[in-house]
């Protein structure tokens, strides 16, 4: 099939690749211009909804293509390994890996951060903030002509409805789950953010997030991540992951069921600094242009994704120590 842009092409390739090693579901389609673009969900491993689950998400912001690339890269590699690696096959009998690698295909096709309705999907949830907000960037309901527009109050955009349903169904019944949502663009550092973004108050699993930070520090020595609550960088109103966290926390027995959504914000300003011509194209603000840099980004973060999968699988080994 002739596809419209490179990242969608790669998602299609992953769909073909899965072939019995996992399950692929067409979760919905988005019409933009004359095209109907798919949103795919992937599931690998155990069918037991209570099994430990690692969730990987990308392309929530259409401009941030590198997140979709990284999610597809990881999953493609997972399938490659599942074809011959018995240990991995046995691991996946006990855990689940689930993913929506391209949540906002309309925005990616149009080259916009927002979805085709002009809504920033990470400002769109009912989650409200009590912190000091930035003008516009923290989210607003003023106009889709302004960036960071959160849409109509109390109305989830179609893509977010899909995300919420997918996460509820595939992650929130797990005894232990970690989500990682892949973004790019903010600053020169790669940041690993845990909730909240709506407030500077500590989120309920602060101690668990701290333990994960310690494990990243000790298992990936010399890593490049700045690990902190998202609110340390800026406050967000309408954050979809704060919303999902609260849904889980308010409805589950949170002593027994743990769900921690993380964001990996790949600092793209370093790519711009090293190749200022990227500034001539808005795409270049969010994605590495040069091939060697692209490959380095894939390699650099693959280990982190693998570690998160293993932290889910072996949570009993570190969570209750
Ligand atoms: Zn983003």
């Amino acid at each position: 099939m002739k596809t419209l842009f490179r990242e969608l092409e790669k998602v299609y390739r992953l769909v073909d690749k899965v072939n019995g090693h996992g399950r692929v579901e067409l979760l919905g389609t988005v019409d933009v211009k004359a095209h109907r673009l798919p949103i795919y969900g992937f599931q690998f491993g155990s069918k037991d909804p209570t099994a430990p689950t690692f969730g990987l998400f990308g392309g929530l912001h259409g401009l941030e293509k590198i997140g979709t690339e990284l999610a597809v890269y990881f999953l493609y590699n997972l399938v490659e390994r599942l074809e011959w690696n018995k240990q991995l096959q046995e691991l996946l009998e006990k855990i689940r890996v689930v993913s929506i690698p391209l949540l906002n295909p309309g925005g990616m096709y149009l080259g916009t951060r927002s979805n085709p309705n002009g809504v920033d999907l990470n400002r769109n949830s009912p989650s409200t903030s009590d912190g000091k907000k930035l003008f516009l960037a923290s989210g607003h309901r003023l106009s889709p002509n302004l960036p960071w527009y959160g849409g109509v109050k109390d109305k989830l955009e179609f893509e977010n409805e899909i995300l919420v349903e997918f996460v509820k169904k595939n992650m929130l019944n797990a005894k232990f789950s970690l989500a990682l949502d892949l973004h790019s663009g903010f600053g020169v550092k790669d940041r690993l953010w845990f909730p909240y973004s709506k407030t500077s108050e500590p989120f309920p699993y602060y101690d668990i997030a701290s333990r994960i930070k310690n494990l990243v520090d000790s298992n990936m020595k010399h890593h490049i991540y700045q690990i902190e609550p998202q609110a340390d960088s800026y406050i967000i109103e309408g954050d979809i992951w704060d919303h999902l966290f609260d849904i889980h926390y308010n409805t589950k027995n949170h002593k027994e069921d743990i769900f921690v959504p993380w964001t990996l914000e790949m600092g793209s300003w370093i790519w711009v600094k090293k190749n200022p011509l990227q500034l001539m194209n808005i795409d270049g603000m969010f994605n590495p242009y040069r091939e060697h840099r692209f490959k380095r980004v894939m390699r650099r973060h693959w280990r982190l994704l693998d570690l998160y999968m293993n932290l889910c699988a072996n949570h009993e080994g570190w969570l209750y120590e």
Side-chain angles (χ1 to χ4, degrees):
M1 188 185 300
K2 172 106 178 68
T3 51
L4 295 165
F5 54 95
R6 167 172 142 153
E7 295 73 23
L8 184 58
E9 167 82 35
K10 289 194 177 176
V11 172
Y12 281 133
R13 252 191 269 165
L14 178 64
V15 169
D16 289 342
K17 177 83 179 168
V18 168
N19 195 20
H21 292 290
R23 302 171 291 285
V24 186
E25 203 182 342
L26 180 63
L27 303 171
T29 57
V30 175
D31 289 336
V32 51
K33 299 202 170 159
H35 308 291
R36 179 154 289 181
L37 305 175
I39 303 175
Y40 282 108
F42 295 83
Q43 298 170 51
F44 299 92
S46 171
K47 289 183 178 153
D48 175 1
T50 66
T53 304
F54 174 47
L56 191 57
F57 300 87
L60 186 141
H61 289 138
L63 271 172
E64 300 167 19
K65 301 172 179 179
I66 192 72
T68 293
E69 295 268 15
L70 182 57
V72 170
Y73 177 81
F74 181 81
L75 297 174
Y76 202 92
N77 177 276
L78 187 76
V79 178
E80 283 281 346
R81 287 189 288 160
L82 279 173
E83 282 171 5
W84 57 270
N85 187 328
K86 204 155 174 37
Q87 277 174 317
L88 189 64
Q89 290 164 4
E90 283 167 9
L91 181 73
L92 267 287
E93 281 170 18
K94 290 183 224 125
I95 69 162
R96 293 157 56 73
V97 176
V98 301
S99 177
I100 301 177
L102 176 46
L103 182 68
N104 178 12
M108 204 169 283
Y109 172 65
L110 295 170
T112 58
R113 174 183 168 93
S114 60
N115 75 353
N117 295 334
V119 176
D120 185 326
L121 296 177
N122 209 29
R123 303 290 185 277
N124 172 235
S125 87
S127 164
T128 53
S129 74
D130 65 6
K132 192 173 176 337
K133 283 182 267 181
L134 300 170
F135 178 62
L136 298 183
S138 285
H140 63 87
R141 308 273 181 190
L142 299 172
S143 158
N145 298 319
L146 295 168
W148 302 293
Y149 173 61
V152 177
K153 193 170 180 306
D154 296 327
K155 185 187 173 300
L156 277 186
E157 289 294 303
F158 176 67
E159 294 87 343
N160 273 341
E161 279 179 357
I162 284 182
L163 176 65
V164 168
E165 280 315 303
F166 183 84
V167 171
K168 273 187 183 171
K169 192 168 140 203
N170 291 296
M171 297 193 74
L172 297 194
N173 296 310
K175 285 271 163 244
F176 183 89
S177 59
L178 296 176
L180 190 57
D181 190 20
L182 305 171
H183 289 252
S184 61
F186 179 78
V188 293
K189 288 190 180 137
D190 294 317
R191 286 159 207 265
L192 259 176
W193 280 328
F194 56 87
Y196 280 129
S197 74
K198 64 179 181 178
T199 173
S200 305
E201 296 293 314
F203 95 115
Y205 300 149
Y206 194 92
D207 59 326
I208 295 174
S210 300
R211 225 175 289 172
I212 291 175
K213 177 187 183 309
N214 292 340
L215 286 162
V216 175
D217 288 344
S218 57
N219 288 271
M220 290 180 63
K221 282 233 180 309
H222 317 300
H223 71 76
I224 32 68
Y225 302 106
Q226 183 162 326
I227 308 174
E228 61 193 10
Q230 154 120 38
D232 279 8
S233 287
Y234 53 88
I235 296 282
I236 291 179
E237 180 146 312
D239 184 306
I240 195 70
W241 293 105
D242 278 4
H243 176 58
L244 280 161
F245 176 81
D246 287 342
I247 288 177
H248 181 260
Y249 194 74
N250 294 330
T251 53
K252 292 283 166 176
N253 178 350
H254 45 77
K255 289 221 164 43
E256 288 178 14
D257 299 299
I258 308 287
F259 165 68
V260 184
W262 291 74
T263 297
L264 170 59
E265 182 80 29
M266 292 173 263
S268 63
W269 297 354
I270 191 84
W271 309 326
V272 176
K273 208 162 87 180
K274 290 190 175 165
N275 184 15
L277 280 178
Q278 287 196 189
L279 276 174
M280 302 299 282
N281 183 331
I282 187 156
D283 199 51
M285 288 289 288
F286 298 92
N287 303 290
Y289 262 18
R290 296 198 172 137
E291 194 58 22
H292 73 273
R293 196 153 291 136
F294 173 82
K295 286 181 180 163
R296 196 181 300 154
V297 170
M298 296 296 113
R299 282 199 303 270
R300 187 206 269 262
H301 299 295
W302 181 88
R303 274 200 64 206
L304 178 79
L305 274 47
D306 204 51
L307 178 63
Y308 267 53
M309 182 174 79
N310 279 287
L311 289 177
C312 290
N314 301 290
H315 67 281
E316 284 166 339
W318 59 269
L319 187 61
Y320 308 112
E321 64 189 13

